[in-house]
Amino acid sequence: MRLPLLNKDDPSSVDLEQFCRMTDLFLERGFTYFDTAYMYHQHTSESFVKKALTQRHPRESYQLASKLPTMFLKKPEDQERIFQEQLEKCGVEYFDYYLLHNLNSSTYPTAQAFDSFAFLRKKKEEGAIRHMGFSFHDSARLLDEILTAHPEVEFVQLQINYLDWDDAGIQSGKCYETAVRHGKKVIVMEPVKGGVLARIPQEGQALLKNCRPQWSPASWAIRFAAGLDSVMMVLSGMSDLEQLEDNTSFMQDAGPLLPEEQEVLRQVREIIRGSIAIPCTACGYCVEGCPKRIPIPSYFALYNADHQELTKGANTHRIYYENYARSGGRASDCIGCGACERSCPQHLEIPRLLKDVAASFEA
Ligand code: SF4
Ligand code: SF4
């Protein structure tokens, strides 16, 4: 989802050379799990996985996960068409893990109507997938409903990090406990919350450094998620070789956090909560359906940077804003249709927040 880019404004410009080096080092260090999806990097992620991984390494040396894009399904037959396309793009004959992508209150009815769980069961019987599950961004109540209706699901992929653990909207902790109650293994996504927990305020950084001088802020976040008993995998979303070096070094022998370390994270959580204006993870799910082509995550990132202690009020934010607005819509172009909000895993009130962005950068 967050591969290295040659041009940071073009999600499809993946830096293949660096990605190949990252892939090789990851495998050399004993890690094997790769997670991709149909829509990542403007629908090119799976093809880059083929170039960096599946064409260059033996099939038994890695595990590959991909996802059926429930948000793009228009009719039941789309499932077979997309699945075959994914196998072809990835250059494999089966997926080790295959998920219904981003189940929530608007995509679950589609999955039910198109019998998507039965589709995954059939693919499993055919040997085209080894394990079936779904990724999820909604309430613990809906998760309970889905797992009750579909006990055949083997695992769930949840957004879990120390900032969202007791958040009333994301409900990381409640969702985790729901999955455990149903006896499911958990794969963690967004353990670093789209990089937010790698760039925490100075005051929080000082607390972490004081407790464990050698640990990076990102490593604290990943250790928190990995230390939960029912977690079988943590997807840390590494974007360059340096991040990969960091993650793979400490995860080779990381154990659960000690009680005093948990207490430090609790204090850091409060500091961060006071500093982030818009908790967007830059997943990009909102962008595709926007009729005004507003680059929502880019504007939110600029807005956050403009409100953070280290970068507050820098002139470059406004310059960047004008640059983005030349090729997409302005924040004030939002017509409030709500398409973006329905696909936002973080449940952000995007049209309202865009008004704040417009007030900051268009005044
Ligand atoms: S509400 Fe605004 S930002 Fe969201 S999809 Fe509609 S026009 Fe785009
Ligand atoms: S606004 Fe929501 S959907 Fe859009 S990039 Fe941010 S977190 Fe993702």
Side-chain angles (χ1 to χ4, degrees):
M1 184 173 179
R2 296 191 174 92
L3 295 174
L5 297 178
L6 294 168
N7 170 3
K8 75 175 180 52
D9 296 326
D10 176 5
S12 67
S13 69
V14 171
D15 179 349
L16 181 61
E17 193 188 327
Q18 185 172 182
F19 182 29
C20 286
R21 281 191 283 139
M22 290 168 70
T23 302
D24 297 350
L25 183 62
F26 189 71
L27 289 167
E28 266 167 38
R29 291 192 168 178
F31 297 88
T32 58
Y33 191 98
F34 291 79
D35 171 89
T36 183
Y38 190 67
M39 66 187 289
Y40 292 169
H41 288 277
Q42 292 181 341
H43 303 255
T44 64
S45 174
E46 290 171 323
S47 305
F48 280 106
V49 165
K50 181 177 183 176
K51 289 177 192 153
L53 176 69
T54 70
Q55 283 185 332
R56 301 172 61 247
H57 292 279
R59 183 65 183 90
E60 64 281 4
S61 67
Y62 60 84
Q63 294 165 297
L64 183 60
S66 196
K67 313 182 188 82
L68 186 70
T70 54
M71 60 296 268
F72 298 150
L73 299 177
K74 301 277 184 257
K75 51 187 186 306
E77 305 82 65
D78 288 344
Q79 301 180 119
E80 184 66 35
R81 175 182 58 76
I82 290 173
F83 186 78
Q84 293 305 330
E85 193 187 329
Q86 290 179 295
L87 288 176
E88 169 65 29
K89 278 166 83 179
C90 289
V92 293
E93 291 178 350
Y94 66 90
F95 291 110
D96 300 275
Y97 293 82
Y98 195 71
L99 303 85
L100 299 180
H101 196 171
N102 189 13
L103 285 195
N104 56 41
S105 55
S106 68
T107 54
Y108 182 50
T110 306
Q112 289 292 78
F114 295 168
D115 228 353
S116 301
F117 288 89
F119 176 76
L120 262 59
R121 280 201 306 275
K122 180 167 148 280
K123 288 295 155 201
K124 194 175 164 193
E125 282 159 22
E126 292 169 2
I129 67 176
R130 299 274 159 96
H131 301 285
M132 61 179 281
F134 61 89
S135 61
F136 182 79
H137 289 284
D138 210 303
S139 67
R141 187 200 49 71
L142 181 63
L143 181 61
D144 185 50
E145 182 186 328
I146 299 174
L147 290 176
T148 303
H150 295 285
E152 70 273 32
V153 163
E154 296 167 87
F155 67 95
V156 288
Q157 188 159 309
L158 301 175
Q159 172 165 328
I160 292 180
N161 58 65
Y162 70 82
L163 191 63
D164 294 328
W165 186 253
D166 56 0
D167 182 274
I170 311 290
Q171 303 186 354
S172 280
K174 282 187 185 160
C175 285
Y176 171 77
E177 281 151 19
T178 302
V180 172
R181 204 169 58 247
H182 282 269
K184 305 303 173 193
K185 285 290 179 194
V186 173
I187 294 181
V188 174
M189 57 185 158
E190 302 287 10
V192 194
K193 201 167 169 65
V196 166
L197 302 182
R199 301 182 298 270
I200 63 175
Q202 295 281 344
E203 191 188 351
Q205 284 189 38
L207 278 177
L208 298 182
K209 270 259 171 298
N210 190 37
C211 180
R212 297 281 173 235
Q214 307 301 325
W215 294 5
S216 64
S219 88
W220 275 88
I222 294 167
R223 284 171 210 263
F224 170 84
L228 298 163
D229 282 345
S230 291
V231 165
M232 58 167 276
M233 185 64 55
V234 179
L235 307 174
S236 61
M238 296 167 279
S239 298
D240 58 38
L241 204 51
E242 192 184 340
Q243 291 176 11
L244 188 132
E245 294 262 13
D246 183 39
N247 290 0
T248 54
S249 60
F250 67 78
M251 281 310 292
Q252 280 176 333
D253 57 1
L257 293 176
L258 303 171
E260 59 268 31
E261 293 164 347
Q262 294 279 7
E263 171 55 24
V264 170
L265 276 191
R266 194 194 59 72
Q267 293 171 28
V268 171
R269 182 188 302 148
E270 295 314 309
I271 293 169
I272 298 171
R273 282 208 175 124
S275 76
I276 304 174
I278 305 176
C280 165
T281 64
C283 67
Y285 290 8
C286 55
V287 176
E288 196 129 354
C290 175
K292 294 293 178 182
R293 295 173 45 249
I294 299 172
I296 299 163
S298 301
Y299 287 169
F300 287 172
L302 289 176
Y303 184 86
N304 281 341
D306 211 53
H307 287 75
Q308 248 165 13
E309 59 184 52
L310 289 177
T311 50
K312 214 173 206 153
N315 281 342
T316 48
H317 301 147
R318 190 174 283 255
I319 294 168
Y320 266 95
Y321 180 82
E322 289 303 329
N323 287 344
Y324 287 135
R326 266 185 213 113
S327 51
R330 302 175 79 77
S332 57
D333 291 339
C334 173
I335 52 170
C337 66
C340 53
E341 278 185 318
R342 287 192 285 280
S343 58
C344 177
Q346 310 306 321
H347 313 294
L348 298 178
E349 295 174 55
I350 296 173
R352 179 183 67 73
L353 293 167
L354 284 174
K355 287 200 173 96
D356 296 341
V357 172
S360 266
F361 295 125
E362 297 179 21

